[in-house]
Amino acid sequence: MSRIVRTRRGRALAPAQAIVLGFGLTLVIGTALLLLPLSTAPGSRTTVVDALFTATSAVSVTGLVVVDTGSHWSGFGLAVILLLIQLGGLGIMVVATLVGIALARRLSMRARMATVVETKTAVAPNVRRIVGGIFVTSISIEAVVALILFIRILTGYGYGVGEAAWFSVFHAVSAFNNAGFALQADSMMGFASDGWLLLPMCAAIIIGGIGFPVLRELRREIRHPLHWSMNTRIVLAATAALLALGTIAVTVMEWSNPATLGSADPGTRILGGFFHAVQTRTAGFNSVDIGAMHDETWLVTDILMFIGGGPAGTAGGIKVTTFAVLFFILWTELRGGTAVNIFGKRLARGVHRQAISVVLLAIAAIVVVTLAILAMTDLDLDQVLFEVVSAFGTVGLSTGITSDLPEPARVLIVMLMFMGRLGPLTLGTALALKERRAAYELPKERPAIG
């Protein structure tokens, strides 16, 4: 891996540096394209910060916006945003897979074979086949969802063929890549009761969010669950559990809220609760007014956004695998166990440190940015925290304060979106590659805990 990217002097870039550099260059180019007069609709004006914010939101597949996507940008500008979404979502999957392959090559033969057994990934696979599989899978899912949306929009809403096609393609790509960009100012609120439209989008979001390694393994071992790796089992189990718990929590808490679900029929309320739970997987569409939700619903949403989706996919957050690892560590401690066992396998101790490091750094970033924005504005803590967690988790849900933030606060959100998209991946890679064996050990001593 150290020979994949080299600087001008011939010094190799580390995998994490190559990832940051690639996404950084994409961000710069995207910002420049959005600043072109051709990208802005007549009568609108784009500032550097607005272009940077939108480009970052698209590349990081977040979905937070400071201008109305459908009316502010021209057709060319929307095409640029769609391309950035595709590159951000598809690129992170490709990079994550390639880094995993290269990481195995950096390890000893024994460690490489362990990687093969644990991840069901070949040590020296055909890279073109891997990248090609990711590309074909992504495009195929997007095409199927776009076709379903096209038929529904064309037959149910009186759209013209061209308008229906553009609507379908844009929202299918945005959904699969967990981006949350919508052509309507109110996102999907105009389709809140239409399950034929919302459920295919939910399916795309969930599939994109569980990650390509899981999709690849399911395609090969769908009939043999006992052969699934620990990663696949954790992702599927945690995803199902969080979706179920999120749906129940949101539906119950908003059931009688007339500003959100309370004014709809029971079926639409359940659909709305499920749709919102899916969006917290880092998608960011909304079929109800987020700003009108109860404070307790915001808190539940914060937790789900912080956790995010599966690794090496289009979702953000700390990842469900990290959350599951911490849960099983806690469960083992409460039971007085000595080893953390998950689905019949013992968890490597190095993973404990990585999971704790990712979570602590994520919390630190969220706290720092939240405090900074609170100092800059007169906004309430719950609104600012919601916005910050949404940015870190690359979700895109907002209580409606994004466009009201001052430019320094927007820049902080930009930095957080970029960090949220790349942080967990680059940190995990760095921790794995920098592991060193000490030549000696210091005497042990236990501080008082609790």
Side-chain angles (χ1 to χ4, degrees):
M1 183 65 179
S2 61
R3 299 184 180 275
I4 291 179
V5 181
R6 290 183 177 276
T7 61
R8 184 175 298 178
R9 295 183 179 179
R11 198 176 84 184
L13 290 175
Q17 293 174 318
I19 295 170
V20 173
L21 178 62
F23 276 80
L25 289 175
T26 304
L27 175 59
V28 170
I29 295 172
T31 302
L33 290 175
L34 291 179
L35 282 173
L36 295 175
L38 181 62
S39 298
T40 306
S44 299
R45 177 178 173 272
T46 304
T47 66
V48 174
V49 174
D50 289 347
L52 174 64
F53 192 100
T54 304
T56 306
S57 186
V59 172
S60 64
V61 291
T62 302
L64 287 173
V65 295
V66 289
V67 295
D68 178 45
T69 303
S71 62
H72 181 86
W73 304 105
S74 65
F76 177 80
L78 291 174
V80 170
I81 292 173
L82 192 65
L83 178 61
L84 292 176
I85 291 172
Q86 187 71 79
L87 290 176
L90 181 62
I92 201 70
M93 295 166 68
V94 173
V95 170
T97 303
L98 291 179
V99 167
I101 296 169
L103 178 61
R105 289 175 175 171
R106 283 289 300 272
L107 303 177
S108 65
M109 178 59 70
R110 180 176 296 179
R112 290 166 63 183
M113 294 307 296
T115 302
V116 174
V117 174
E118 293 299 325
T119 66
K120 301 294 190 294
T121 302
V123 174
N126 187 320
V127 175
R128 292 184 179 180
R129 182 180 301 173
I130 293 291
V131 176
I134 295 174
F135 181 79
V136 171
T137 298
S138 302
I139 299 301
S140 298
I141 294 173
E142 291 169 354
V144 171
V145 175
L147 179 60
I148 296 173
L149 298 183
F150 174 76
I151 295 174
R152 179 57 181 165
I153 285 293
L154 187 65
T155 59
Y157 292 91
Y159 280 48
V161 174
E163 189 179 9
W166 173 239
F167 175 97
S168 304
V169 171
F170 189 94
H171 289 90
V173 172
S174 184
F176 176 75
N177 290 287
N178 282 219
F181 277 87
L183 296 176
Q184 305 75 233
D186 61 354
S187 191
M188 307 307 292
M189 290 177 63
F191 310 98
S193 61
D194 192 343
W196 293 101
L197 193 72
L198 298 186
L199 291 179
M201 294 180 64
C202 287
I205 292 165
I206 294 171
I207 294 173
I210 64 176
F212 176 76
V214 175
L215 294 178
R216 187 166 180 262
E217 185 168 340
L218 289 178
R219 186 180 62 182
R220 296 185 304 175
E221 303 285 353
I222 187 64
R223 297 182 179 180
H224 305 92
L226 295 179
H227 297 171
W228 293 352
S229 65
M230 179 190 293
N231 181 74
T232 295
R233 294 185 183 188
I234 290 177
V235 170
L236 294 180
T239 297
L242 291 173
L243 284 175
L245 292 175
T247 300
I248 294 172
V250 173
T251 304
V252 170
M253 289 186 292
E254 295 296 321
W255 187 268
S256 301
N257 185 350
T260 55
L261 302 179
S263 59
D265 61 84
T268 300
R269 296 184 196 184
I270 296 174
L271 175 62
F274 175 72
F275 188 76
H276 183 76
V278 172
Q279 304 318 304
T280 61
R281 314 297 299 154
T282 80
F285 296 105
N286 63 282
S287 61
V288 297
D289 184 3
I290 302 297
M293 284 182 163
H294 295 310
D295 292 349
E296 54 269 30
T297 309
W298 283 353
L299 180 58
V300 170
T301 303
D302 286 340
I303 296 172
L304 294 174
M305 292 191 299
F306 182 75
I307 296 173
T314 60
I318 63 170
K319 310 302 186 198
V320 293
T321 46
T322 305
F323 175 76
V325 165
L326 293 181
F327 171 81
F328 281 107
I329 290 175
L330 175 62
W331 180 249
T332 301
E333 288 296 324
L334 292 177
R335 297 181 61 190
T338 57
V340 179
N341 300 317
I342 305 177
F343 297 124
K345 296 287 185 67
R346 180 169 58 86
L347 191 67
R349 290 197 175 273
V351 180
H352 302 195
R353 301 192 302 271
Q354 293 176 27
I356 294 172
S357 299
V358 167
V359 172
L360 290 180
L361 285 176
I363 293 174
I366 290 172
V367 170
V368 169
V369 175
T370 299
L371 288 173
I373 295 180
L374 285 173
M376 297 177 188
T377 66
D378 296 326
L379 297 169
D380 294 335
L381 171 61
D382 48 4
Q383 289 181 304
V384 174
L385 181 62
F386 190 99
E387 194 83 6
V388 170
V389 174
S390 179
F392 172 80
T394 68
V395 181
L397 293 175
S398 175
T399 60
I401 67 172
T402 312
S403 58
D404 297 328
L405 294 175
E407 287 197 346
R410 294 183 186 185
V411 173
L412 287 177
I413 294 294
V414 164
M415 296 171 61
L416 200 58
M417 287 190 292
F418 194 76
M419 174 187 174
R421 193 66 177 113
L422 298 180
L425 175 63
T426 54
L427 176 62
T429 304
L431 289 173
L433 289 177
K434 290 185 177 180
E435 183 176 354
R436 297 182 178 91
R437 290 185 177 275
Y440 61 91
E441 291 186 356
L442 297 175
K444 290 182 178 181
E445 186 173 348
R446 295 174 61 92
I449 302 295

